[in-house]
Amino acid sequence: MASNRKNAHRARPVSRRRFLEDAGSVAALGAATTALGPFAQPAMAQTDLRKQILGIPGVDKGSPTDADWQKVGELCLGPTKANVTAGEFKGVELTFMGLNNQNLHNLLFRGFLKPWETYTGAKISWIDLAQADYNPRLQQAIATGTVDFDVLEMGAPFEGDVCGKGLASEMPDWVKKQVEIDDYVDYLKPPVGTWNGKTYRVTIDGDCHNFNYRTDVFSDPALAKAWKAAGNTSEWAVPKTWQQVQAATKFLKGRKIGGKDAWGYLDAPKPWGGFGFYFLGSRATAYAKHPDDKAWLFDVDTMKPRINNPAWIRAIQDVVDALPAEPPDQLNADPGTAGFQQFLAGTGSMLSWWGDIGSVARTSDASVVGKIIAFDILPGSDDVYNARTGAWEKLASGPNYAPNCAYLGWGMYVMARVDGDAKKHKAAWSAAAHLGGKDLSLWTVMYPSGFQVHRTSHSNVDEWVDAGYSRDYISSYLNSQFGSYNHPNRAVEPRIPGIFQYYSVAEDELAKVFAGRLDAKTGADNIAKAWEGITDRLGRANQIALYKASLGA
Amino acid sequence: MASTELSSPLAGERQLPMTPRRASPGRRNAGRWLIGASSCAFGLVVLAQALRGAGIIEFGFDDWRPTLYAYVLWGIALGCGLVMTKGERGHQLLFLLPALLFTVAVVIFPTFFGLYIAFTDWNLSSVSGRQFNGLDNIRTLMRDAFFWNALGNMVWYVLAVLVQYAIAFALALLLNAEIRARKFFRVAFLLPFMLSPVAVSWMIGKSIMEYRFGPAATLARLVGWDSPAFFASPWLARSSIMAMDAWVSIPFIMILLLAGLQALPHEVAEAAKVDGASPWQTFWKITFPLMLPVSVTAVILRIIFELKLADIVINVTAGGPGGATDTVSSFIYREYRDRSNVGYGTMLAEFYLVIIIVFVTGLLALANRWMRRFT
């Protein structure tokens, strides 16, 4: 079968996708060999179970189906059976609220939990929400006191809204053991998932922005020659700092690669329901997140916004300066457009995004860059702003890197309303623990699920290679992910109530700046003013307390 | 005692029993008692729930659903009571009562409750919940550059309705003429109106007009436009949104005008032709004035729809670039959905409602005066 597919591929006329793939494949092999560094563990002995589930249905064997999800759920029932007797939850009815993005999330959970329901006797009813409806639905339920679900799929940024208001149930110790909570990567360990010292979340996802780049562009001899001819003293190479990203982006305007326009970095200036702010954040963290300071968005003691300090203004100005060198319609590109319609389709050579790009580049028919991209942590900066001293500093260690751990991934939460019913309480936590099980999580991060690596055990490259991934590609990808998660200067998002309100307001002001209606300083001042208003409206004292708790400060 | 027999032109024939025109005193008293008792009971339920909601008393239900049931029961009791007290007149009122109670429940009450919400600081993420904040939301609105920017954009969008009207009139004249495949064109021209604006947003705004692969962009490049980015500069983005909106909406105006044209008496136009009037004179001196009532109706309806423009903007530009395409409705949508700002969002909606009412009322008065002068 494999050879048939290969021959069929050869028989095809040269398409843009094939041209790009072939042109960059050699370069990709060379450039994607970034060592996994401290995370390249010796091959961990794979259990039979892990091998078995990773073969369902098998990489390159089409998308998994509901039958596959049920099979995986059935095979991963072992930890549940150790804590729950058969039929123990008979008569218990649970309501589960989660997403149905891209036919993933809840649809997978249904399959995974079907054998759990059969074994335990519990019954689950489902509330499926589109991403856009999720936040309003959750906020309405909280504000109107109509929490009508027992188990909730939720992102850590909302922990302030839910755990901070006492709406979540504290995780029992047996669940911590069942999900092997110590296996979580460092940045997803407390304070993430906890509130006031209590643990609430079963983590099922990890999120950070990494740097995706085109290997063919940065290994192209013609571009290297032109780079030198343009008077640059450095070598033509993958940018490691935002200063280099800016220079490469401006240089690439008007250049060609394989007869096509070779654009540089792709910004995402169009508002995206608050999520677009993360993309400015990725440009700003290297400037704004000082290694000696946990905070980078607000001052810890006052919640005074830092968005209008010189570091953030510089990041905003970088976007303004880069936009004229980006594709002509970039002003109307949101992150989805930049990632999926541009970068994966062959437009642009550098992009900050969540790990989805790497996991989709080789599995989506829409992608033409699967063999010509590689990954790294976000670029750094030659200097970093110290908000405490109010001065720019050059670190003795070199450029400042501060990966943007944006959104902190999805998790399972059990609502406090089950606390009064011991049987229901155990059933709800058992369901959450099943979905967040160690072995099951390996399957979800390897196959289409909407979730990315979030456990140390996910860094075992051999398991990925055995499942069908190429070693170079997956090493580069995992290195960028774990390198971000475990970076000592990672910028972790504050988990405070209403965080998306701050982002949404910022998006509106930034849109004016990017369109040239305001300068960067005025726009940043406007955002700061609006943020102060939001903090006052939500209760400053409370926000400060929750901000401190979320930072562990 | 007044007779309870009814005179009927069908006297002598078998008749259905009818309610007496006037009820007996006992029946009237029972009816009054029923209305009074049910009203008191309903009032007590509302009062108890309101006091519980305000945290003044402990007694009450967990939510307002029982109050809704009480409202329905009160409505039934009110209907019975009216029949008992007013006889046949009560029966007549029964036809009106359900619609009246339904309107009160879903239009009048929400409007007034919305007014109350508009004067509160209610952010869904706030730990303090909903709090009355007087005129703060109005003050914020007056200083809100985003609202006034969106309102300014609405002026342009409303002016674009006149262009839509002109095009729609031309199309209506065309479809009213004796042309081949007239029926086909009538249906074909109506198709855009049948499409959801959300579908149009994706099919046209995000596909056909897409910079990289969109056919419109490809065509533009063929005719010499190097960078056909339809949504990257303020005026072009606004014009592109107007064009998409026009594509959806012109058929609506066109179909109204076509109906008007078909109702015009042919004799007048034929008489003008016999008198030697040119086609332009026939149109300008006869057709256009006769069509004024239909035209005014069509334009005002379109303006009302236009003032609520949101879906295409939200999907295609999210109000950008830099607020150039933002509408008041899309701005309110962001306040509600992205920022959970229920209090301020409601104030925006109520304020905009007042603006629309004043504007449309003024427009109607002007149109009436103008039509009287013209006709």
Side-chain angles (χ1 to χ4, degrees), chain A residues 133-155:
Chain A
D133 300 326
Y134 179 86
N135 187 13
R137 173 70 165 83
L138 181 61
Q139 297 283 16
Q140 278 172 7
I142 296 167
T144 56
T146 52
V147 172
D148 55 351
F149 39 85
D150 305 303
V151 186
L152 171 68
E153 181 195 18
M154 184 178 80

Side-chain angles (χ1 to χ4, degrees), chain B residues 8 51 57 69 83 113 138 162-163 204 213 269 292 350 371:
Chain B
S8 164
L51 291 174
I57 61 168
Y69 299 148
V83 171
F113 187 67
I138 289 185
L162 295 177
V163 179
I204 299 181
F213 54 78
L292 264 182
E350 297 275 356
M371 275 170 53

Side-chain angles (χ1 to χ4, degrees), chain A residues 132 135-136 139-140 143-144 161 165 270-271 273 327-329 331-332 334 337 341-342 347 497-498 500-501 504-505 508-509 511-512 515 517 537-538 542, chain B residues 121-128 145-146 149 206 210-213 227 229 231-233 314-318 321-324 331 334 337-341:
Chain A
N135 187 13
Q139 297 283 16
Q140 278 172 7
T144 56
D161 295 83
K165 291 178 183 171
K270 185 181 167 188
D329 65 333
L331 205 52
N332 194 42
D334 60 29
T337 304
Q341 291 181 27
Q342 292 183 310
T347 299
F500 272 85
Q501 295 184 33
S504 172
V505 165
D508 270 6
E509 288 291 348
K512 289 201 279 191
R517 293 179 61 188
R537 198 157 52 236
L538 300 181
N542 192 56
Chain B
D121 178 6
W122 190 14
N123 187 295
L124 296 182
S125 290
S126 170
V127 280
S128 54
F146 287 95
N149 170 67
K206 300 195 77 129
E210 212 281 332
Y211 174 78
R212 278 158 294 278
F213 54 78
S227 299
F231 304 102
S233 64
I314 290 168
N315 282 309
V316 179
T317 62
F331 176 59
R334 290 204 300 282
R337 203 198 71 161
D338 296 346
R339 296 165 203 164
S340 306
N341 240 340

Side-chain angles (χ1 to χ4, degrees), chain B residues 301-328:
Chain B
L301 281 176
R302 259 305 293 147
I303 286 174
I304 292 172
F305 288 140
E306 192 72 12
L307 289 168
K308 295 185 283 188
L309 176 67
D311 27 30
I312 293 176
V313 173
I314 290 168
N315 282 309
V316 179
T317 62
T325 59
D326 212 3
T327 67
V328 175

Side-chain angles (χ1 to χ4, degrees), chain A residues 86-117:
Chain A
E88 185 177 334
F89 303 141
K90 196 171 181 189
V92 173
E93 291 194 9
L94 296 171
T95 303
F96 188 112
M97 185 165 105
L99 298 166
N100 58 4
N101 289 357
Q102 297 161 324
N103 288 329
L104 298 172
H105 296 258
N106 267 16
L107 276 83
L108 272 71
F109 299 154
R110 279 183 172 87
F112 293 150
L113 281 172
K114 193 84 183 279
W116 178 88
E117 288 178 88

